Amino acid sequence: MNTVFAFYQDLGPALASLVVMTFLLAGTVKGVIGLGLPTIAMGLLGLAMPPAQAAALLIVPSTFTNLWQLASGGHLRALLVRLGPMLAMLFIGTLLGSAWLGINSGPWAKQALGAALLAYALYGLVGAGLCLASRRERWLGPACGLVTGVVTAATGVFVIPAVPYLQSLALNREQMVQALGLSFTVSTLALAVGLAGQDALGGQALGASLLMLAPALLGMLAGQWLRQRISALLFKRCFFIGLAALGGHLLISG
């Protein structure tokens, strides 16, 4: 435990405070709209630390909150059957991407993170709702999983193109929430394995990530309370606008 606190002492009070506030904010957004925790965590922490260090911090909060989301609803068995090929390729793609690229694989790492955030934000703001013919799921699902895995390995962001693909499947609200939780859980676990393979996820990093579970859960509870009192549609639009600005900044400044 002393080594965990030493991790935050090494960061310094300003950066440690940024980490805590980031997970509070990310948890709040997830509580309101059902997604966004790893995306916000990677985006904001990517401004101040290497992407691999930011990704290591999100492993425990992301895994726990996604399992919480995954547990809601009664569609897990059917979703596992339907999404199994995509999830398998997502896991494989993340491991292959980690071996090939790695999340800190060059000076372009932050630009790649910025590009992923910007692409997701633009899709969220202007992307038209797609409806995928069921006959195309057999090949498009695994392809989306593979690409998402490579993007996850390079940036720590799980959403492109997995989220647009899942949104094209005409799932009802409960199925969609559970499908997102399932996809994000697999992505997080695969990312953890990839980071461990790069020696970026030791015991100290996991302990530091565990400490961020409390602010993430507190933020989620606040977000669920807030969801009953504000327009979720307006909140989501503001979220994507902010994400686009953050992604553009990372893309330009690196």
Side-chain angles (χ1 to χ4, degrees):
M1 182 60 70
N2 288 336
T3 58
V4 173
F5 288 113
F7 175 90
Y8 287 103
Q9 289 174 348
D10 291 341
L11 289 183
L15 189 50
S17 297
L18 171 65
V19 172
V20 173
M21 294 306 296
T22 293
F23 279 98
L24 273 171
L25 175 62
T28 300
V29 172
K30 187 174 180 69
V32 175
I33 64 176
L35 49 84
L37 190 149
T39 311
I40 290 178
M42 286 301 302
L44 291 178
L45 296 180
L47 294 171
M49 62 179 60
Q53 189 176 26
L57 284 173
L58 70 84
I59 293 298
V60 174
S62 180
T63 300
F64 190 91
T65 57
N66 286 324
L67 286 173
W68 183 354
Q69 183 172 334
L70 177 60
S72 65
H75 309 283
L76 181 58
R77 185 184 298 273
L79 288 172
L80 280 172
V81 171
R82 185 174 183 180
L83 301 179
M86 182 199 101
L87 297 172
M89 291 307 298
L90 194 162
F91 197 93
I92 292 169
T94 304
L95 298 186
L96 291 176
S98 296
W100 172 38
L101 297 170
I103 200 168
N104 271 344
S105 54
W108 54 268
K110 286 193 177 181
Q111 283 91 341
L113 173 58
L117 295 177
L118 184 59
Y120 178 48
L122 292 177
Y123 172 80
L125 288 170
V126 302
L130 303 176
C131 187
L132 180 68
S134 58
R135 66 181 181 275
R136 296 181 179 173
E137 288 185 42
R138 180 172 298 180
W139 64 269
L140 190 56
C144 283
L146 181 63
V147 174
T148 302
V150 174
V151 173
T152 297
T155 67
V157 174
F158 315 152
V159 292
I160 295 293
V163 170
Y165 170 76
L166 292 174
Q167 290 174 335
S168 74
L169 298 182
L171 302 173
N172 63 38
R173 178 176 174 81
E174 290 76 17
Q175 290 172 326
M176 185 64 189
V177 168
Q178 203 163 17
L180 288 172
L182 184 58
S183 176
F184 294 163
T185 298
V186 172
S187 293
T188 304
L189 295 176
L191 180 61
V193 174
L195 288 170
Q198 300 173 53
D199 295 323
L201 192 64
Q204 186 185 58
L206 276 175
S209 178
L210 180 61
L211 289 183
M212 290 304 101
L213 181 58
L217 291 178
L218 183 60
M220 274 194 72
L221 292 173
Q224 290 171 351
W225 176 85
L226 192 60
R227 183 171 58 195
Q228 309 301 321
R229 291 160 175 80
I230 64 169
S231 166
L233 184 60
L234 176 61
F235 187 92
K236 186 179 291 188
R237 182 167 295 274
C238 293
F239 162 68
F240 282 123
I241 290 172
L243 197 63
L246 180 59
H249 174 75
L250 287 169
L251 182 61
I252 293 170
S253 69

